[in-house]
Amino acid sequence: MSRFLNLAALTIAVGLAGPALAEPTGLGRPATPDEVIAWDIDVRPDGLGLPEGNGSVVDGEPIFAERCASCHGDFGEAVDRWPVLAGGRDTLTSARPVKTIGSYWPYLSTVWDYVHRAMPFGDAQSLTADETYSLTAYLLYLNDLVDEDFELSRENFTEVVMPNAGGFYADDRPETAVWKNRAPCMTDCKPEVKITARAQVVDVTPDDPTSKHSSAAPAAEETEATKEEATQVAAAPAVDPALVKAGEKVFKKCKACHAVGDKAKHKIGPHLNGIFGRAAGTAEGFKKYSKDMQKAGADGLVWDEETLATFLAKPKSMIKRTKMAFAGLKKEDDLTAVIAYLKAMAE
């Protein structure tokens, strides 16, 4: 919080009062050296900010397979609409450029910094410096920029020159949006914009009218069985709304790969509707389960509160070669809350 208070104080001093207000404002406190170190993790193109460490292509391969491949593919080719990491050389001037690490990124420091700062998805900043060096080396290898025996370290980091480093130049625009000394990038623009096609974006496909979760599905005829079921539901103990709300917040770590609730569809992982009481690896229509997950279901693993809590705490300890890259929820309160949320949404 102090960091933001200091920023607010600086904004007030510089933006409102200008140089006339030189004395302290009394807001916040100076950051401690440890706090500065914790935030100061950026890496510059010249290598400044890189920690000590090293990692090889060989070491990076199993880390990538375990922590990254479920989203980015075994060879950086990407799964569904997650970013492609490899390939695309000589495509930048084509009608459909493929912007990957090897074809587009100008600096290796961006790769190291982003992997270390933000990956793996849902478990950011869990990678050690050596693991990050190893993953960066492996990403270079996937893009045919180094050999399989390559080892990356702080000492040789700046020796790696990315293929598109020369494709970037300093932004020399003035404060306005018009480029200095350059012609406008577009001419003869139409006065009215009309949508002629729609992007193929996840979750924008029209509902399947046959789906039980579709708003277009015909209403089911009320029978004695459905009346009895409704009575049973009404008699069930109420779910703690605060716990469900907390679980919804925890589920944000999951929603990039899973959906739950009305109109939920399969994504990178299966939707979680009806998961309670379902055998592992058997969601109808989902075909991307690992063999280990399918075997667990065939051997009798059924999802309930207990088995879900065990799996979500540390997925790979329960199912060794699961394709779920998420490292797990560490807090008991988060497990309890997200399971309550799933129970409220998944039925």
Side-chain angles (χ1 to χ4, degrees), residues 7 40 60 62 90-91 93 99 102 137 148 160-161 165 171 179 188 217 229-230 238 244 278 302 308 325:
L7 179 60
D40 187 18
D90 303 320
T91 68
T93 58
K99 297 181 178 181
E148 60 183 10
V160 180
V161 179
D171 185 353
W179 279 49
D188 301 326
E229 181 180 347
V244 173
R278 186 170 73 206
V302 175
L308 269 177

Side-chain angles (χ1 to χ4, degrees), residues 307-340:
T307 54
L308 269 177
T310 301
F311 181 68
L312 293 176
K314 203 166 185 181
K316 291 188 182 298
S317 290
M318 184 174 183
I319 299 178
K320 186 175 181 180
R321 285 181 287 271
T322 176
K323 290 184 178 180
M324 193 163 88
F326 185 61
L329 296 171
K330 310 303 180 187
K331 298 179 180 179
E332 188 71 29
D333 289 348
D334 287 349
L335 284 167
T336 302
V338 78
I339 288 174

Side-chain angles (χ1 to χ4, degrees), residues 6 18 20 22 55 66 89 132 167 175 179 231 248 267 279 295 319 337-338 342:
N6 277 327
E66 180 178 351
R89 293 285 288 273
T132 308
E175 294 182 359
W179 279 49
T231 303
E248 182 179 12
K267 300 171 77 173
K295 183 177 184 303
I319 299 178
V338 78
L342 289 175

Side-chain angles (χ1 to χ4, degrees), residues 209-231:
T210 63
S211 169
K212 70 175 182 179
H213 297 294
S214 170
S215 57
E221 182 179 348
E222 187 175 27
T223 63
E224 292 301 319
T226 57
K227 290 179 181 178
E228 182 180 350
E229 181 180 347
T231 303

